[in-house]
Amino acid sequence: MGWFDGLLQPIMVAVAWIMVQFHSLLTSIGMDPDGGTAWTLSIVGLVIVIRILLIPLFFKQIKASRGMQLLQPEMQKIQKKYKGKTDPASREAMSRETMELYRKHGTNPFASCLPILLQSPIFFALFRVLNSLKPLSEGTYPRGDHIGPMTADLAASAESATIFGAPLSGTFMQANGDIHIQIVTIALIVAMSATTFFTQRQLTRKNMPPAALEGPMAQQQKVLLYVLPLIFAFSGVNFPIGVLIYWTTTNLWSMGQQFYTIRRMPAPGSEAERLMLERRARRGKAVPVVEAPSTVVDEKPRGQRQQPKRKDRQKPAGTQRPVGAGTGTGAASAKGATGSGASATADAPIQDAPVQDAPVEDGSLSDGPTKPSSSAKAKKPAQGGKKPRPKN
Amino acid sequence: MTTLGRAARFALRLPGMALLGLLWLYQHLVSPLTPPTCRYYPSCSQYAVIAIRRHGALRGTWLAGRRLLRCHPWTPGGVDDVPPARSPRRLDVAHSAH
């Protein structure tokens, strides 16, 4: 473990420093310096500091998912193109095009890997700090007599601090029959599994469009959800209680953050979005125009293709056009037959008041300059009609 | 001699196989716990798998590490493929348009 500690040394010092700062803050407000509460809360404080540092990234992500709404029409075009194709090659091509679309618009709903990777050394460092408490307090720590501000005295205090009778550096495997350690470890593993399980289930149940819930990946994820407690149980028994506290607190924070995200910025086409629209409708707020869920793109099986019509020859049936135009920039409705667009919208899960309201404002907008823009309108269906065949 | 050669080749492939095993564990046990994260296609872990298969443990790890450094919050993301294998250099140039 020597070389590993050497690599982690700077992070271990930082972790120890934050913990010691929190500890002295907590003792200064009257907590018992050698008590388990102060040391436990120091670990919680460590989580809070790290997650607060990451909040700007969280908000950046939320902003990006707002930007996602703007490229919803193009997104739907891609989804339509690969509708019903489940072979790996099409799936891959679809992911490629989607990612390319994000890049083109400079908005990306994903968080990126590096920040997550940077967090794991902190976790390992905490693990090492907690495991080093005992050698530190006994003066047998091989890399000196302190880790940053964590001196032998403080280490001894942390080492002897107990929460519900269990020391923070105790692990289930080395409990030696200490019933307190065993009970606290098991309780924390259960809490860890429960928070992860709940977070994950909330994500899949509420914040994914139905299309994403099919397929082998989703199936695997579902299985894993139930295998998870076992994995946690097997790894958790080797972790000191302090690490388990860190892990559980992080999970709780993620859960809250995700709850906020799902409530405020649900994924298009998901259950959470439907709920949000319902809430908004109840409050009487106007619904943004580009809310059409991604699943509405399915089309009736085409027999004969409907020929594009010149604007002035179109039947003034009225009801068809505004609904099609309701999807916004018209990329989705530009697909040849306006009729299919209308029927697709009728399939939408949100067929309640807000959607029917939206087109009205739009209709007045697009109906106004009918004559001047007729040439542009007449071109669009012709392009849209050609598209689906040659590509793919 | 051939068995020795085979053993040597196996020994050379061993680190790559170990890394691929770790990646398999990550992709099947850890990754499903987190929401989709990567801003690129293929994802960082898949990139690492392809890179190690294509370029071996050493250069594959180097490429994957560089990719991870690229996958930060200020990148627009997009499609980012593993560079083609080095040896048949002339052949690789031809089929870039697919």
Side-chain angles (χ1 to χ4, degrees):
Chain A
M1 268 331 221
W3 62 273
F4 197 58
D5 271 15
L7 270 180
L8 283 179
Q9 193 67 30
I11 307 163
M12 283 169 71
V13 170
V15 163
W17 188 83
I18 294 173
M19 272 179 71
V20 169
Q21 295 312 308
F22 266 100
H23 185 254
S24 58
L25 179 81
L26 290 166
T27 45
S28 75
I29 59 167
M31 278 189 191
D32 174 17
D34 293 332
T37 327
W39 283 109
T40 305
L41 289 179
S42 306
I43 294 174
V44 173
L46 178 70
V47 175
I48 291 172
V49 165
I50 292 164
R51 298 311 291 254
I52 283 178
L53 287 178
L54 289 170
I55 274 187
L57 294 184
F58 173 61
F59 278 118
K60 194 171 147 50
Q61 211 183 325
I62 289 209
K63 223 186 272 170
S65 60
R66 261 186 209 132
M68 289 296 293
Q69 304 232 316
L70 295 176
L71 44 101
Q72 200 58 18
E74 281 179 74
M75 204 55 182
Q76 290 183 350
K77 232 194 256 176
I78 294 177
Q79 277 161 350
K80 195 171 183 176
K81 188 167 150 191
Y82 293 102
K83 173 83 192 158
K85 290 185 185 159
T86 48
D87 57 303
S90 311
R91 290 279 115 189
E92 192 195 319
M94 185 174 163
S95 320
R96 275 175 187 272
E97 278 180 41
T98 313
M99 282 305 200
E100 202 46 44
L101 181 69
Y102 294 151
R103 193 195 55 76
K104 213 172 74 195
H105 288 262
T107 176
N108 198 315
F110 300 116
S112 78
C113 304
L114 197 59
I116 294 175
L117 200 75
L118 290 181
Q119 279 175 77
S120 56
I122 299 174
F123 186 78
F124 286 121
L126 178 68
F127 186 89
R128 290 303 302 152
V129 167
L130 290 173
N131 272 353
S132 308
L133 287 179
K134 199 176 159 78
L136 263 180
S137 61
E138 289 166 352
T140 54
Y141 184 62
R143 312 185 73 86
D145 59 349
H146 62 96
I147 303 175
M150 184 72 83
T151 55
D153 288 343
L154 278 170
S157 157
E159 163 71 10
S160 57
T162 56
I163 170 166
F164 301 115
L168 292 181
S169 55
T171 68
F172 188 89
M173 293 309 266
Q174 282 142 30
N176 292 329
D178 185 335
I179 192 76
H180 297 291
I181 295 182
Q182 287 172 346
I183 288 173
V184 171
T185 315
I186 289 171
L188 281 169
I189 288 174
V190 168
M192 239 162 63
S193 310
T195 44
T196 313
F197 181 87
F198 187 72
T199 310
Q200 189 65 21
R201 213 180 54 149
Q202 187 191 31
L203 191 75
T204 49
R205 282 268 172 91
K206 291 216 176 133
N207 204 34
M208 281 195 185
L213 295 179
E214 300 158 3
M217 269 309 276
Q219 206 56 39
Q220 195 186 332
Q221 217 160 343
K222 212 184 280 174
V223 171
L224 195 85
L225 205 52
Y226 294 93
V227 179
L228 201 71
L230 282 179
I231 300 174
F232 278 166
F234 280 119
S235 51
V237 290
N238 293 306
F239 290 164
I241 285 171
V243 168
L244 296 179
I245 291 170
Y246 175 89
W247 199 336
T248 311
T249 320
T250 304
N251 275 356
L252 280 173
W253 184 290
S254 309
M255 206 165 84
Q257 206 165 283
Q258 185 185 275
F259 184 75
Y260 175 86
T261 322
I262 288 182
R263 207 178 150 81
R264 303 292 295 273
M265 304 303 302
S270 62
E271 163 82 1
E273 189 190 43
R274 194 180 62 76
L275 292 174
M276 185 186 75
L277 292 176
E278 266 177 14
R279 279 198 306 273
R280 283 199 187 162
R282 238 178 285 137
R283 263 180 284 149
K285 261 194 195 172
V287 174
V289 193
V290 272
E291 290 290 356
S294 53
T295 43
V296 282
V297 279
D298 59 326
E299 256 180 30
K300 297 275 168 269
R302 350 187 158 127
Q304 193 177 8
R305 186 169 79 93
Q306 271 182 289
Q307 293 297 326
K309 277 180 197 157
R310 211 165 68 215
K311 175 91 188 203
D312 52 27
R313 289 181 65 190
Q314 245 163 15
K315 271 182 228 147
T319 50
Q320 290 183 344
R321 293 217 67 265
V323 182
T327 43
T329 46
S333 58
K335 287 275 145 88
T338 44
S340 73
S343 67
T345 321
D347 288 344
I350 16 160
Q351 215 218 337
D352 45 6
V355 175
Q356 250 125 33
D357 283 351
V360 178
E361 314 163 15
D362 244 26
S364 63
L365 268 174
S366 64
D367 277 354
T370 297
K371 286 286 165 279
S373 69
S374 69
S375 62
K377 283 254 166 89
K379 250 184 228 159
K380 257 189 195 165
Q383 284 176 348
K386 248 187 269 162
K387 232 171 203 167
R389 293 231 175 120
K391 272 201 179 177
N392 76 41
Chain B
M1 189 60 204
T2 41
T3 42
L4 207 71
R6 208 173 295 155
R9 214 171 301 144
F10 180 76
L12 273 178
R13 282 227 311 269
L14 215 55
M17 276 154 63
L19 288 173
L20 287 175
L22 286 178
L23 282 164
W24 188 91
L25 284 179
Y26 170 78
Q27 289 189 327
H28 288 82
L29 294 181
V30 183
S31 177
L33 301 181
T34 60
T37 305
C38 192
R39 296 170 84 93
Y40 284 104
Y41 184 89
S43 69
C44 286
S45 64
Q46 194 54 34
Y47 186 97
V49 169
I50 298 170
I52 289 170
R53 286 216 183 110
R54 197 175 282 176
H55 297 277
L58 206 64
R59 189 166 147 76
T61 308
W62 165 246
L63 287 170
R66 280 183 45 196
R67 161 63 172 279
L68 273 171
L69 290 179
R70 249 177 287 148
C71 193
H72 55 72
W74 296 273
T75 183
V79 174
D80 173 36
D81 279 311
V82 182
R86 264 173 168 181
S87 40
R89 200 174 283 168
R90 298 282 168 267
L91 286 172
D92 284 313
V93 187
H95 57 81
S96 58
H98 68 97

